[in-house]
Amino acid sequence: MDCIFCKIANGEIPCKKVYEDENVIAFHDLDPQAPTHVLIIPKTHIGSAMEINEENSGVIGHIYEVAAKISGDLGLENGFRIVNNCGEDGGQTVHHIHFHLLGGRSMKWPPG
Ligand code: 5GP
Ligand code: ZN
């Protein structure tokens, strides 16, 4: 499958890695929207949040554990935002589920 994030997960495409374990990888976004902008992805291909089910949902909880763990290393003690864009209306451009970990500035609400 021609998926950029599968290729990052298997090392075919390089990335600025922040964290990796058996099931997930976290790396800096190519086009940062905040002083800290890291993407956390499962290594297995899940297209979007619409494809989360009983079989694959374990890794989603793990991604939030990883976010909590790496937020300290990234200096985000003052807080952060986790964003998951899903589908066309959600503004998803890469169709391998990913969680944006954004921090280092005050975030606005509601998002655009
Ligand atoms: P989406 O719009 O799907 O929620 O987010 C996709 C994100 O992936 C964007 O923030 C974009 O900058 C980032 N991105 C796309 N291609 C690459 C890449 O090859 N490497 C990295 N590090 N980030 C990428
Ligand atoms: Zn993929």
Side-chain angles (χ1 to χ4, degrees), residues 16-84:
K16 279 172 66 185
K17 187 163 57 181
V18 171
Y19 174 89
E20 182 173 16
D21 64 28
E22 199 185 331
N23 299 309
V24 313
I25 181 166
F27 51 93
H28 289 281
D29 196 291
L30 214 53
D31 181 22
Q33 302 301 315
T36 299
H37 186 171
V38 166
L39 300 173
I40 312 174
I41 69 168
K43 288 187 172 177
T44 53
H45 186 90
I46 300 171
S48 78
M50 278 187 251
E51 292 180 19
I52 297 171
N53 56 41
E54 268 180 33
E55 274 82 54
N56 64 22
S57 62
V59 73
I60 305 301
H62 183 57
I63 282 171
Y64 274 81
E65 275 180 50
V66 168
K69 195 199 303 250
I70 67 178
S71 65
D73 305 333
L74 293 166
L76 303 181
E77 289 84 0
N78 211 39
F80 51 82
R81 180 169 292 175
I82 296 175
V83 173
N84 168 243

Side-chain angles (χ1 to χ4, degrees), residues 1-7 42-46 95-97:
M1 198 193 324
D2 202 28
C3 169
I4 316 171
F5 285 179
C6 281
K7 288 181 179 167
K43 288 187 172 177
T44 53
H45 186 90
I46 300 171
H95 298 282
H96 177 131
I97 197 169

